[in-house]
Amino acid sequence: MTLHTGGPPVPTPDSLIVDARTHTPLRALKVHHADATHRLWLKLEQENPTGSIKYRTALGLLAALSSRRPLYPGTQVVESTSGNLGLALAHLLARMDCQLIAIVDPKVPSSVQELMRAQGATVHQVTDRDEHDGYLLTRLAKVAELTDADPGLRWTDQYHNPAGPGVHRRTTAPELIEQTYGAIDAVLAAVSTGGTLAGVSEGLRAVSPCLRVIAVDVQGSLATGDRAQAHLLTGIGATRRSTLLRPDHHDRVARVFDVEAFACCRMLSEDTGLRIGGSGGAVLAAYLANLHGDLRRARCPVAVIADGADNYLATFYDDSWLAERGVADRVNAEIAKARAEGLSFEIADTAAGPTTDPLRPPARRMDQ
């Protein structure tokens, strides 16, 4: 049973939204390919306090929850999560003297589950695959079971809640406009619930109607596709259609194989020392695939990089993990092919283009 201590409510919804303006850095990446050099801007959301863009989403969802009925110390909140949103919710709720009940699956690294528990969360792991060979529907069934059993349990519902896109429309999109001085003319972002892309697209297109928007999904995902297939990537894709995305939110969908995403992550790390998460690798792979298509005229394209590598060092950055899952040879083949085509990366000097404020200190991570 959910308990309420009667103490003071948590911060107001408006104050939570203000906290979502984290001004994460925008860095220029030189992409050398086939004897040409292209520039791609990376919006590095791993610099949020809990290491991912889901910090913003969590603030938006909690603000919406609190506006409907204030959260009081002792309130329990439940959510289905593949990792990053759970970390953000656990972190924020702990500071409100509230608690997260996180519903996860075996694809969520044990280290991530332990981080949630360290923030006071209760973690339930489902193990049965759903009808599409994934776990999302099974996780949602567990959420329904818990909320039916305890009417006082609050559900943030990232899959339908308009507050998810809303926080990115109000915070992420304006930051991109400011950081590029309005020059942004293309954006790529990964899709899972679709909330990030929907909000960023709405916010940017209100200012730049001609903006090109590419939704990046993983092969086998039903978030934007119609054919389910198991894949190894987390934080991107879903075994159900996104209810937050509309056709006018994007110009096209780019679907990437997980081994392509892993290869891009590893090459970027090797060339620059910058390590990003798997969904960011998928976005980078989609950029490369569209470099001479949809993006050939883009002068200021931005890739939204949802998170860093902290949660993946024991997964696709680890050779043995790839070998155990039978994809090591395919990843190495992707890297060899890309290198043969002249692909390499370089962090560019941002002095000649859009930049963040060089005097602003980086956002603090939750473990600092």
Side-chain angles (χ1 to χ4, degrees), residues 276-288:
I276 61 176
S279 67
V283 170
L284 195 52
Y287 169 77
L288 293 169

PDB file of all heavy atoms in Angstrom, residues 276-288:
ATOM      1  N   ILE A 276      29.780   7.009 -26.701  1.00  0.00           N
ATOM      2  CA  ILE A 276      28.355   7.300 -26.627  1.00  0.00           C
ATOM      3  C   ILE A 276      27.574   6.003 -26.503  1.00  0.00           C
ATOM      4  O   ILE A 276      28.103   4.912 -26.713  1.00  0.00           O
ATOM      5  CB  ILE A 276      27.882   8.088 -27.867  1.00  0.00           C
ATOM      6  CG1 ILE A 276      28.107   7.285 -29.153  1.00  0.00           C
ATOM      7  CG2 ILE A 276      28.604   9.435 -27.943  1.00  0.00           C
ATOM      8  CD1 ILE A 276      27.581   7.954 -30.414  1.00  0.00           C
ATOM      9  N   GLY A 277      26.278   6.121 -26.167  1.00  0.00           N
ATOM     10  CA  GLY A 277      25.429   4.959 -26.015  1.00  0.00           C
ATOM     11  C   GLY A 277      24.983   4.387 -27.348  1.00  0.00           C
ATOM     12  O   GLY A 277      25.193   4.982 -28.413  1.00  0.00           O
ATOM     13  N   GLY A 278      24.340   3.224 -27.293  1.00  0.00           N
ATOM     14  CA  GLY A 278      23.957   2.519 -28.498  1.00  0.00           C
ATOM     15  C   GLY A 278      22.974   3.269 -29.369  1.00  0.00           C
ATOM     16  O   GLY A 278      23.063   3.228 -30.605  1.00  0.00           O
ATOM     17  N   SER A 279      22.019   3.981 -28.766  1.00  0.00           N
ATOM     18  CA  SER A 279      21.069   4.736 -29.585  1.00  0.00           C
ATOM     19  C   SER A 279      21.775   5.875 -30.301  1.00  0.00           C
ATOM     20  O   SER A 279      21.428   6.221 -31.440  1.00  0.00           O
ATOM     21  CB  SER A 279      19.915   5.268 -28.726  1.00  0.00           C
ATOM     22  OG  SER A 279      20.362   6.256 -27.811  1.00  0.00           O
ATOM     23  N   GLY A 280      22.800   6.450 -29.663  1.00  0.00           N
ATOM     24  CA  GLY A 280      23.605   7.474 -30.323  1.00  0.00           C
ATOM     25  C   GLY A 280      24.371   6.898 -31.493  1.00  0.00           C
ATOM     26  O   GLY A 280      24.527   7.539 -32.537  1.00  0.00           O
ATOM     27  N   GLY A 281      24.859   5.665 -31.342  1.00  0.00           N
ATOM     28  CA  GLY A 281      25.523   4.990 -32.449  1.00  0.00           C
ATOM     29  C   GLY A 281      24.571   4.762 -33.605  1.00  0.00           C
ATOM     30  O   GLY A 281      24.954   4.890 -34.779  1.00  0.00           O
ATOM     31  N   ALA A 282      23.306   4.447 -33.293  1.00  0.00           N
ATOM     32  CA  ALA A 282      22.301   4.271 -34.338  1.00  0.00           C
ATOM     33  C   ALA A 282      22.046   5.584 -35.070  1.00  0.00           C
ATOM     34  O   ALA A 282      21.892   5.611 -36.299  1.00  0.00           O
ATOM     35  CB  ALA A 282      21.001   3.740 -33.734  1.00  0.00           C
ATOM     36  N   VAL A 283      22.010   6.685 -34.331  1.00  0.00           N
ATOM     37  CA  VAL A 283      21.812   8.002 -34.944  1.00  0.00           C
ATOM     38  C   VAL A 283      22.988   8.327 -35.862  1.00  0.00           C
ATOM     39  O   VAL A 283      22.805   8.838 -36.978  1.00  0.00           O
ATOM     40  CB  VAL A 283      21.636   9.087 -33.862  1.00  0.00           C
ATOM     41  CG1 VAL A 283      21.675  10.483 -34.467  1.00  0.00           C
ATOM     42  CG2 VAL A 283      20.319   8.875 -33.115  1.00  0.00           C
ATOM     43  N   LEU A 284      24.198   8.025 -35.420  1.00  0.00           N
ATOM     44  CA  LEU A 284      25.380   8.274 -36.238  1.00  0.00           C
ATOM     45  C   LEU A 284      25.345   7.411 -37.507  1.00  0.00           C
ATOM     46  O   LEU A 284      25.670   7.889 -38.606  1.00  0.00           O
ATOM     47  CB  LEU A 284      26.631   7.976 -35.411  1.00  0.00           C
ATOM     48  CG  LEU A 284      27.978   8.490 -35.947  1.00  0.00           C
ATOM     49  CD1 LEU A 284      27.918   9.967 -36.262  1.00  0.00           C
ATOM     50  CD2 LEU A 284      29.079   8.191 -34.929  1.00  0.00           C
ATOM     51  N   ALA A 285      24.944   6.148 -37.383  1.00  0.00           N
ATOM     52  CA  ALA A 285      24.831   5.269 -38.546  1.00  0.00           C
ATOM     53  C   ALA A 285      23.776   5.793 -39.522  1.00  0.00           C
ATOM     54  O   ALA A 285      23.952   5.741 -40.746  1.00  0.00           O
ATOM     55  CB  ALA A 285      24.484   3.850 -38.100  1.00  0.00           C
ATOM     56  N   ALA A 286      22.670   6.319 -38.990  1.00  0.00           N
ATOM     57  CA  ALA A 286      21.619   6.875 -39.848  1.00  0.00           C
ATOM     58  C   ALA A 286      22.114   8.119 -40.572  1.00  0.00           C
ATOM     59  O   ALA A 286      21.779   8.335 -41.749  1.00  0.00           O
ATOM     60  CB  ALA A 286      20.388   7.208 -39.011  1.00  0.00           C
ATOM     61  N   TYR A 287      22.905   8.929 -39.890  1.00  0.00           N
ATOM     62  CA  TYR A 287      23.490  10.115 -40.537  1.00  0.00           C
ATOM     63  C   TYR A 287      24.361   9.689 -41.718  1.00  0.00           C
ATOM     64  O   TYR A 287      24.256  10.249 -42.817  1.00  0.00           O
ATOM     65  CB  TYR A 287      24.310  10.909 -39.528  1.00  0.00           C
ATOM     66  CG  TYR A 287      25.156  11.995 -40.153  1.00  0.00           C
ATOM     67  CD1 TYR A 287      24.597  13.192 -40.568  1.00  0.00           C
ATOM     68  CD2 TYR A 287      26.530  11.810 -40.349  1.00  0.00           C
ATOM     69  CE1 TYR A 287      25.366  14.191 -41.164  1.00  0.00           C
ATOM     70  CE2 TYR A 287      27.304  12.793 -40.935  1.00  0.00           C
ATOM     71  CZ  TYR A 287      26.718  13.984 -41.333  1.00  0.00           C
ATOM     72  OH  TYR A 287      27.489  14.955 -41.930  1.00  0.00           O
ATOM     73  N   LEU A 288      25.201   8.699 -41.509  1.00  0.00           N
ATOM     74  CA  LEU A 288      26.086   8.232 -42.585  1.00  0.00           C
ATOM     75  C   LEU A 288      25.284   7.688 -43.765  1.00  0.00           C
ATOM     76  O   LEU A 288      25.633   7.927 -44.925  1.00  0.00           O
ATOM     77  CB  LEU A 288      27.028   7.154 -42.052  1.00  0.00           C
ATOM     78  CG  LEU A 288      28.058   7.622 -41.016  1.00  0.00           C
ATOM     79  CD1 LEU A 288      28.739   6.424 -40.368  1.00  0.00           C
ATOM     80  CD2 LEU A 288      29.079   8.554 -41.652  1.00  0.00           C
TER      81      LEU A 288
END
